[in-house]
Amino acid sequence: MTLRRRFTFFTIFWLIFILILFNIFVYLFVIKITMRSEDQLLTNKVNILLEDRRISEPSQLSNADLLRDYYNVDELMRIVNSSGKILNSQGSDPELLALKPVFTNKHDTGMFFIEGRRVLYMKVPLYKNNEVIGTLEIYRKLQLLDSYLQVLVIALTITSIGAILFAIFGTYWFTSRLTSPIQHMVQTMREIDRSGKLRQIELAQRDQSAELLQLARAFNQMINRLDRQFERQKQFVADASHELKTPLTVISSYAGMLKRWGRDDANIRDEAIEAISKESQRLQNLTKSMLQLAHAEQEDWLNIESFNLVQLADETADMLHLTFQRMIRVHTGKQDVRLNGDKDKIRQLLVILLDNAIKYSKDAIDITLSVNKGIVRLSVSDKGIGIPEDEIANLFERFYRVDGARSRATGGAGLGLSIAKRIVDMHEGKIDVFSKPDQGTTISVALPQKK
């Protein structure tokens, strides 16, 4: 079942339910009010009649003028003695006249039906010197009330049917406007699936609700993100193909040369084997870096934990010192700098920054840690060859190398800083580079502490 039909059926169901309850309430309320009014009128008539002096005289109870003066149409008035005999009667309705007279010494009032029509009655004992001398019976057919109730039922039925019809067309129109943007989104998704080309949804903000605009914005943001992801994948494939082309060409060329002349010439054989080995190692490092970058770009989750960044920096510095025999110093004003983040990824970030500093400098490397207003700052500084100012903006691009500095002789693939920036972005941080040629480079990372 479509959303439009479901919403329409739901609205009509509840509207009918509410109308039924409302109509029942109105019907019963009108009956209660009118019955109370009729009962009060009948009570007033009885009170006036009891004030008549003739009603307390036994000899006057059979006087025809006694009840004639108070008689109204659609009524039956009569006086019954203690033996159940009718002493006086006024009325012309045969259904009321057919009612059996009843003598009672108690006041009684109520309502009953005769062939579907309401009849209001009141029975009042008549006294003479504290002795009951008879019973006054008054019956009134509420024909006017029944007619009004019939009109009321017809009016409520017509208005209810009209309201239901109006609700059906109104709800259908409203749901059509409500679901049209959703249908537009579905159509856009199908076109994207059919053509393979991403496109955004355009909605007129004036005519749409805030929720639908939020949905459209979320959809467009998803499309933008997918578009950026596809572009990154295309760029990654293009860059990877370009980077892989060179070592593969070198390996292929030397393999061909080795095949043609390597058997007879030892120098050519040794040169080819050395070149193939070197390019194979470079190809292996490049593939490893590419896998690390792809893993960093696809993995959006973090294993958040609280750890001591000073301890992590000391451990990483000691490990790289033993590996490369380079002095790495850690500077901090505190022995405990707490950071909430992914410890493994922060360690990977440190290794990348220190590895770059080791490759492009020969002096000691400094790691500086500080905390200020909930921001943890981590800096890695070297006294190496530096980076030209116009090249700094391109450092975080994949496979990018600064001419002369990031040469193939260092063995780098130009992916380390791209991975580092991805790690910093995942931690909602910021990374900056400060460098001057022949003076050294400082890479500064600011991460929110998130206590």
Side-chain angles (χ1 to χ4, degrees):
M1 184 181 294
T2 62
L3 178 62
R4 179 187 301 177
R5 290 184 179 179
R6 186 177 300 177
F7 187 80
T8 302
F9 288 154
F10 179 80
T11 303
I12 299 305
F13 170 78
W14 279 108
L15 179 62
I16 292 175
F17 179 73
I18 293 173
L19 285 175
I20 290 174
L21 293 180
F22 176 77
N23 291 342
I24 292 175
F25 169 77
V26 171
Y27 185 79
L28 296 178
F29 181 76
V30 170
I31 290 178
K32 183 177 180 180
I33 295 299
T34 53
M35 289 297 298
R36 182 183 300 175
S37 177
E38 291 290 341
D39 185 71
Q40 186 62 44
L41 291 175
L42 202 58
T43 301
N44 293 337
K45 175 180 287 192
V46 170
N47 291 334
I48 295 174
L49 185 57
L50 293 178
E51 292 178 357
D52 194 323
R53 295 181 179 179
R54 294 175 294 177
I55 202 69
S56 59
E57 296 295 334
S59 59
Q60 295 293 326
L61 294 179
S62 58
N63 187 350
D65 295 332
L66 175 61
L67 298 180
R68 186 183 298 118
D69 296 337
Y70 303 97
Y71 171 74
N72 288 326
V73 181
D74 296 331
E75 286 185 352
L76 172 63
M77 301 178 65
R78 60 190 180 187
I79 298 175
V80 182
N81 61 13
S82 57
S83 60
K85 181 181 178 181
I86 299 175
L87 300 179
N88 198 345
S89 177
Q90 287 290 331
S92 58
D93 190 292
E95 293 178 343
L96 295 180
L97 291 173
L99 296 175
K100 181 180 178 181
V102 177
F103 173 82
T104 180
N105 55 1
K106 295 181 180 179
H107 187 281
D108 185 21
T109 183
M111 187 195 69
F112 61 91
F113 289 87
I114 297 179
E115 296 184 358
R117 294 187 176 274
R118 291 175 176 81
V119 176
L120 186 64
Y121 70 90
M122 184 172 292
K123 299 178 181 180
V124 180
L126 303 177
Y127 293 91
K128 174 65 176 182
N129 297 328
N130 295 328
E131 183 181 353
V132 179
I133 59 177
T135 300
L136 173 64
E137 291 183 335
I138 301 180
Y139 297 90
R140 174 182 294 178
K141 275 189 174 182
L142 303 180
Q143 295 184 0
L144 186 60
L145 173 60
D146 291 334
S147 300
Y148 286 158
L149 290 178
Q150 291 178 357
V151 174
L152 177 63
V153 170
I154 295 174
L156 291 176
T157 303
I158 293 175
T159 54
S160 298
I161 294 175
I164 293 173
L165 293 176
F166 178 79
I168 292 174
F169 290 107
T171 304
Y172 187 82
W173 174 82
F174 176 74
T175 52
S176 298
R177 292 180 58 86
L178 181 66
T179 57
S180 60
I182 300 177
Q183 293 175 349
H184 183 50
M185 293 180 189
V186 174
Q187 183 179 1
T188 303
M189 294 176 187
R190 289 175 177 172
E191 292 180 359
I192 292 174
D193 181 63
R194 178 180 54 82
S195 63
K197 297 181 180 180
L198 299 178
R199 51 173 293 188
Q200 295 185 355
I201 295 176
E202 297 181 0
L203 293 178
Q205 296 188 2
R206 182 184 61 182
D207 299 331
Q208 305 301 333
S209 64
E211 292 80 4
L212 287 176
L213 290 176
Q214 290 176 358
L215 179 60
R217 292 193 188 101
F219 179 83
N220 291 338
Q221 289 174 358
M222 180 189 67
I223 292 298
N224 288 333
R225 183 175 179 181
L226 290 175
D227 193 27
R228 292 193 300 268
Q229 187 70 21
F230 290 159
E231 288 298 325
R232 284 200 296 265
Q233 289 180 354
K234 292 179 182 178
Q235 186 65 33
F236 182 83
V237 172
D239 294 341
S241 300
H242 177 74
E243 291 295 323
L244 292 172
K245 180 180 179 180
T246 300
L248 290 175
T249 301
V250 172
I251 292 174
S252 177
S253 299
Y254 274 99
M257 186 170 57
L258 184 64
K259 182 178 180 180
R260 288 192 297 270
W261 300 297
R263 297 176 182 177
D264 302 325
D265 192 332
N267 293 329
I268 293 178
R269 183 172 63 246
D270 293 340
E271 180 184 355
I273 292 174
E274 180 66 23
I276 290 174
S277 175
K278 184 178 179 180
E279 291 299 322
S280 297
Q281 183 64 35
R282 181 173 175 271
L283 186 61
Q284 183 179 2
N285 294 334
L286 177 61
T287 304
K288 181 179 179 181
S289 298
M290 290 168 56
L291 290 176
Q292 288 179 347
L293 178 61
H295 181 73
E297 288 189 342
Q298 293 178 2
E299 187 176 308
D300 293 331
W301 59 271
L302 295 173
N303 185 17
I304 301 296
E305 60 179 310
S306 178
F307 60 91
N308 186 358
L309 185 59
V310 176
Q311 181 181 356
L312 180 64
D314 288 335
E315 294 173 355
T316 306
D318 293 340
M319 178 188 68
L320 294 180
H321 170 71
L322 293 176
T323 303
F324 296 99
Q325 297 299 313
R326 291 288 300 276
M327 181 179 291
I328 302 175
R329 298 172 297 199
V330 178
H331 306 278
T332 179
K334 298 181 179 181
Q335 295 300 320
D336 188 359
V337 176
R338 307 302 298 182
L339 178 66
N340 284 348
D342 192 315
K343 187 175 180 179
D344 293 334
K345 287 185 173 59
I346 297 299
R347 179 185 286 110
Q348 183 182 8
L349 171 66
L350 277 169
V351 170
I352 291 172
L353 299 182
L354 291 173
D355 182 63
N356 276 352
I358 291 171
K359 288 178 181 178
Y360 307 118
S361 69
K362 295 181 180 180
D363 298 330
I365 301 170
D366 296 313
I367 301 176
T368 305
L369 301 175
S370 62
V371 181
N372 184 22
K373 296 181 179 180
I375 301 297
V376 176
R377 296 192 178 275
L378 183 155
S379 300
V380 176
S381 303
D382 64 66
K383 302 297 181 181
I385 58 179
I387 304 170
E389 185 177 354
D390 57 347
E391 303 283 352
I392 292 178
N394 302 320
L395 282 180
F396 300 107
E397 295 182 5
R398 289 172 295 192
F399 302 105
Y400 181 80
R401 298 183 185 90
V402 178
D403 293 339
R406 270 62 176 170
S407 64
R408 297 186 185 274
T410 63
L415 294 175
L417 289 180
S418 296
I419 298 174
K421 188 175 188 307
R422 174 61 178 166
I423 294 174
V424 173
D425 291 340
M426 291 174 67
H427 285 81
E428 301 178 2
K430 184 179 180 183
I431 185 169
D432 295 303
V433 179
F434 307 94
S435 181
K436 289 184 178 180
D438 300 325
Q439 295 185 19
T441 302
T442 297
I443 299 181
S444 177
V445 176
L447 299 172
Q449 196 170 21
K450 295 183 178 180
K451 288 186 178 180

